[in-house]
Amino acid sequence: MEKSYKEILPQIDTLIFDVDGVLTNGMITIMPDGQLIRNMNIKDGFALKAAVNSGYRVCIISGGTNEGVRTRLANLGIKDIYLGAHNKTDQYHELVEKYNLTHENVLYMGDDLPDYPVMKLVGMPCSPNDGAREIKSISKYISDKKGGEGCVRDVIEQVMRVQKKWDDNFDAKYD
């Protein structure tokens, strides 16, 4: 019998997120100079910082290449940020080898088909509420929040609450 997401949450030690459609709503604003602007939810940022401060391994694997995204996430303390990842399983396998990860202890939140191959490998595949049908069909947890609207905060808070680490992190200070 397959485990429910509530049975998996206590063993999660690594959190991996896509950017566009997960940390953002998937929309971009194209400026006259061609620069692409994305919006990120501040509550997701707080939760990412709280997770980093609590010792979780937090990683980003994104097909996007915007260096502003790297700067924002690095300022939250995230060290493993892969941008321009077109075959996300390559970066995932690199992380597995680098940290000797156990697939069952990894949560990955993605929203669209480029995330599918990685999500099939991890113990806790997750999706925002507005994820693609194929992604939602393989997700053990589907947030009630849409991408860019708190879905990352939702899943991080659930992991940390189950592991009794959430209440200790209301002072997630920014470096």
Side-chain angles (χ1 to χ4, degrees):
M1 187 170 168
E2 191 171 315
K3 289 183 178 181
S4 76
Y5 81 91
K6 291 183 179 189
E7 295 172 295
I8 297 169
L9 291 177
Q11 65 194 31
I12 297 299
D13 63 16
T14 302
L15 308 163
I16 304 176
F17 299 97
D18 177 33
V19 174
D20 293 319
V22 174
L23 283 163
T24 76
N25 67 1
M27 302 293 289
I28 55 172
T29 301
I30 304 170
M31 302 303 289
D33 65 359
Q35 183 180 4
L36 305 178
I37 306 295
R38 292 164 173 84
N39 292 312
M40 291 186 176
N41 187 301
I42 199 74
K43 291 178 183 175
D44 287 345
F46 175 83
L48 288 164
K49 182 66 174 165
V52 168
N53 287 357
S54 293
Y56 291 92
R57 195 171 298 103
V58 180
C59 312
I60 303 297
I61 303 176
S62 175
T65 58
N66 186 303
E67 287 300 318
V69 169
R70 182 187 311 277
T71 300
R72 164 71 176 144
L73 297 171
N75 285 340
L76 296 174
I78 300 171
K79 306 233 183 298
D80 295 293
I81 303 169
Y82 296 93
L83 302 180
H86 300 293
N87 181 358
K88 296 181 178 192
T89 56
D90 291 344
Q91 287 76 25
Y92 176 70
H93 289 302
E94 185 177 318
L95 288 166
V96 168
E97 187 173 315
K98 180 177 179 179
Y99 295 111
N100 196 28
L101 300 179
T102 303
H103 301 295
E104 293 77 24
N105 298 350
V106 177
L107 178 149
Y108 184 100
M109 181 174 262
D111 71 306
D112 210 350
L113 296 179
D115 302 304
Y116 190 94
V118 175
M119 292 176 69
K120 293 291 286 181
L121 299 173
V122 302
M124 181 76 179
C126 302
S127 174
N129 186 269
D130 59 344
R133 176 183 16 205
E134 296 87 351
I135 297 303
K136 290 166 83 171
S137 75
I138 62 168
S139 293
K140 292 190 186 287
Y141 177 74
I142 301 169
S143 176
D144 65 340
K145 310 283 187 208
K146 293 180 180 181
E149 296 182 10
C151 64
V152 171
R153 162 76 176 256
D154 172 37
V155 75
I156 289 174
E157 186 175 339
Q158 287 198 48
V159 170
M160 292 180 69
R161 280 189 185 280
V162 164
Q163 296 181 15
K164 310 231 183 292
K165 294 181 179 180
W166 181 252
D167 293 334
D168 296 337
N169 281 289
F170 291 124
D171 63 345
K173 294 181 176 52
Y174 293 82
D175 299 330

